[in-house]
Amino acid sequence: MVTSASAGLAAGLPAGSPTGSPTGGAAGEIRAALARLDAPCVVAAGADGRLVVTDDPAAARAAGGRVLAVAPPTRPERLGAASFLADHGVAAPYMTGAMANGIASPRLVTALARAGLLASYGAAGVLPDRVDAALAEIRRAVGDAPFACNLIHSPNELELERATLAACLRHRVTCVEASAFLDLTPQVVAYRAAGLRRGRDGAALAGHRVVAKLSRAEVAEHFLRPAPEALLRPLVAAGAITAEQAELARAVPMADDITVEADSGGHTDRRPLSVLLPEIIAVRDRVARELGYRRPPRVGAAGGIGTPQSVFAAFALGAAYVVTGSVNQSCVESGQSAAAKALLGQAGPNDVDLAPASDMFEIGAEVQVLRRGTMFAGRARRLFELYRAYDGLEQLPAADRDWVERSVLRRSVDDVWADTVDYFARRDPEQIARAEGNPKRRMALVFRWYLGLSSSWAISAAPDRVTDYQIWCGPSLGAFNAWAEGSYLADVERRSVVDVARELLTGAAYASRAAALRFAGVRLPAAAATYRPPAVAPAAGSPRSLALSGGTR
């Protein structure tokens, strides 16, 4: 029947007209109806020619009305692939990506894991003993709840990859988020294969899941296909995996999930999601047909996702799940400093820039960073220009060397080199060995000293290095800030990753229902077209504060 909360949407719609445009006080009524995610939202033309909104199309017809459009019930967990929920043991097709240097902190991962969402610890750039301690902390806090750990591929520091995976095995982390890979390595193949076992039907069951984050079709091919024989055979010979595990690995893809990373913070190719996601889905479908997969890898979306509309758009493009990043860095649980979070909370969509990446400086890889309130991007780009132009620090013109030492390093090159030697002696001694007799390599490591520490200065809120803060950030955070303005999510000192996830998922479900009405020709008033988070946070202990889906406004 027509509900009291949603009856009588006065729009002056003549009987028989195919579409209508609700006006006036109708916006609140239709907004309330769309927010009841568990019930259909039916827009009908009443017998008197006026619009009504109901959750009962039969009642509208019985009253002489004509149904114009129906938005079906849409719960957030149904927006993506049900298999993502089942395989990962989570409540929604939503994941938070790993923000390096522990910004995706144990506290952040724990909060999301307890809420039933998949989160990835930011192990990149963290020394092995700290990674081990962080994974142990998370495991103690969440018990058997699932979570992931980032496995970033750094071609110059392969030992870190081995150490991270060893820590994952020690602490029963059964999912890794593999990022920045250009090709497969023996370590990630061993992790994947070592978790395989044969099911009752003879098919392979995956005990170790791999989520590959990438932005190129040729890289996707590596993870969409089974592990290559050239890597499996030596692993069997070394006793890292069994012959049966190798046999199973020849029949399953390397990854369970492929996260397509578009215009993201940090490492990015800045490609539009609307172009990249369909491309990778098409590659997945081609490989699945070729190899006859019973269960092809899922394809999810990351980069540029910071509002309900962008979440819904990703699902509409075919994403099995979504991954958020930049928006989580500003939350209270992240490992970023309060000073950096304050800058992030003021950011708009245009307050970002590109800068050379520390871990892949020599090949010219770039990261997307916050421009507002810092001079890091411009200084880092000039360092890379000097690296390309000269073969060593000794060749730098006097003015350029003076700028490097006074304005950037704030120390002599020799002092920085001494620190660099000490750092890599503990982390990866091969780096120093490769620089012996190679002035250009030595220059790269000195410049990487600045690039690497700049993110640490932001995390530690170093007061004398504010203009050198490297804060990884994409334009999605600015879009989120604009959407959250005036709501309880606006204040970064109270912004929680669980609240952000809940509101984005709820808003995406709302957006899908509003789209269903629009596609049927109903012209929604602006006040009802977009979901907004409430001004006041849900009360602790209320159903709304606990549920990640459904709910009322």
Side-chain angles (χ1 to χ4, degrees):
M1 55 187 269
V2 177
T3 64
S4 59
S6 57
L9 273 181
L13 177 69
S17 176
T19 61
S21 178
T23 59
E29 295 177 351
I30 197 167
R31 185 172 60 246
L34 286 172
R36 288 190 288 274
L37 303 180
D38 289 328
C41 178
V42 181
V43 178
D48 60 356
R50 303 175 74 81
L51 283 186
V52 294
V53 174
T54 176
D55 57 11
D56 187 350
R61 295 190 185 96
R66 183 168 62 86
V67 174
L68 302 175
V70 178
T74 306
R75 296 181 63 85
E77 63 266 27
R78 296 181 180 176
L79 291 170
S83 63
F84 183 89
L85 279 62
D87 287 352
H88 291 287
V90 293
Y94 182 99
M95 178 179 180
T96 62
M99 294 172 286
N101 287 354
I103 294 174
S105 65
R107 182 185 175 193
L108 182 148
V109 174
T110 296
L112 288 160
R114 287 174 171 171
L117 296 175
L118 186 62
S120 183
Y121 169 67
V126 180
L127 290 173
D129 58 341
R130 285 188 54 209
V131 172
D132 188 81
L135 296 183
E137 177 184 345
I138 298 167
R139 180 55 69 201
R140 287 193 300 270
V142 306
D144 292 330
F147 66 94
C149 178
N150 182 225
L151 177 68
I152 191 165
H153 177 51
S154 297
N156 298 318
E157 301 176 84
L158 292 178
E159 183 55 39
L160 296 180
E161 194 175 317
R162 300 185 189 97
T164 298
L165 287 174
C168 287
L169 293 174
R170 279 194 297 273
H171 301 293
R172 297 179 290 115
V173 180
T174 57
C175 179
V176 296
E177 182 191 32
S179 58
F181 278 74
L182 300 177
D183 203 347
L184 299 178
T185 64
Q187 290 76 30
V188 72
V189 170
Y191 175 85
R192 174 64 162 171
L196 294 174
R197 60 184 176 86
R198 198 177 299 278
R200 292 180 179 179
D201 60 354
L205 298 177
H208 295 165
R209 301 197 177 276
V210 174
V211 179
K213 183 184 287 185
L214 48 86
S215 57
R216 294 180 179 273
E218 63 271 20
V219 178
E221 289 257 5
H222 295 311
F223 286 95
L224 289 167
R225 295 182 179 277
E229 189 66 28
L231 293 180
L232 289 172
R233 195 180 306 113
L235 290 172
V236 174
I241 61 174
T242 67
E244 182 179 52
Q245 287 168 338
E247 180 184 351
L248 294 172
R250 296 182 183 102
V252 299
M254 264 299 300
D256 301 275
D257 300 280
I258 303 292
T259 298
V260 174
E261 187 174 27
D263 190 10
S264 64
H267 292 91
T268 181
D269 285 333
R270 300 190 80 180
R271 294 185 61 189
L273 187 65
S274 59
V275 173
L276 187 58
L277 182 60
E279 177 190 9
I280 302 300
I281 289 175
V283 173
R284 186 274 312 273
D285 292 344
R286 172 175 57 79
V287 173
R289 286 193 303 270
E290 175 191 335
L291 299 180
Y293 286 147
R294 293 169 57 186
R295 295 189 63 185
R298 292 171 292 264
V299 179
I305 296 178
T307 63
Q309 292 89 341
S310 57
V311 174
F312 167 62
F315 286 125
L317 283 168
Y321 59 96
V322 295
V323 180
T324 56
S326 296
V327 296
N328 303 313
Q329 185 176 191
S330 64
C331 293
V332 295
E333 299 91 347
S334 93
Q336 189 56 276
S337 69
K341 289 175 186 177
L343 293 176
L344 290 165
Q346 300 167 11
N350 297 320
D351 291 329
V352 294
D353 206 346
L354 290 176
S358 172
D359 57 343
M360 292 183 280
F361 176 78
E362 294 90 329
I363 65 175
E366 292 183 312
V367 289
Q368 191 162 209
V369 298
L370 185 68
R371 180 175 59 199
R372 185 187 183 107
T374 172
M375 299 174 67
F376 168 78
R379 289 172 174 170
R381 281 197 303 271
R382 186 174 173 190
L383 288 179
F384 185 67
E385 291 169 0
L386 293 174
Y387 172 76
R388 288 194 305 175
Y390 300 99
D391 289 329
L393 294 164
E394 296 75 15
Q395 292 188 12
L396 290 179
D400 288 322
R401 182 168 177 133
D402 183 69
W403 174 81
V404 168
E405 293 186 325
R406 288 179 177 273
S407 299
V408 181
L409 304 180
R410 300 189 190 177
R411 301 175 63 188
S412 71
V413 164
D414 292 338
D415 284 349
V416 170
W417 177 245
D419 279 359
T420 302
V421 171
D422 179 66
Y423 172 80
F424 281 113
R426 292 178 289 109
R427 176 175 176 137
D428 188 0
E430 183 185 350
Q431 294 284 326
I432 303 303
R434 292 172 55 197
E436 294 294 334
N438 187 337
K440 195 170 185 72
R441 176 69 180 162
R442 182 170 175 259
M443 177 167 60
L445 292 181
V446 167
F447 289 173
R448 284 175 59 188
W449 177 92
Y450 171 77
L451 298 177
L453 283 179
S454 57
S455 58
S456 300
W457 293 328
I459 293 170
S460 65
D464 60 335
R465 284 287 193 169
V466 174
T467 58
D468 293 301
Y469 285 1
Q470 179 182 182
I471 304 172
W472 301 302
C473 180
S476 61
L477 178 64
F480 178 90
N481 286 337
W483 172 70
E485 186 177 359
S487 78
Y488 78 102
L489 294 178
D491 185 355
V492 294
E493 294 183 0
R494 296 178 177 84
R495 186 181 290 177
S496 166
V497 286
V498 175
D499 288 337
V500 167
R502 180 183 58 241
E503 298 296 348
L504 288 178
L505 286 167
T506 298
Y510 182 104
S512 74
R513 285 157 61 81
L517 297 184
R518 287 199 305 272
F519 294 157
V522 175
R523 296 186 297 277
L524 297 177
T530 303
Y531 173 87
R532 295 282 182 182
V536 179
S542 70
R544 180 62 189 151
S545 70
L546 299 175
L548 282 165
S549 61
T552 59
R553 276 277 172 256

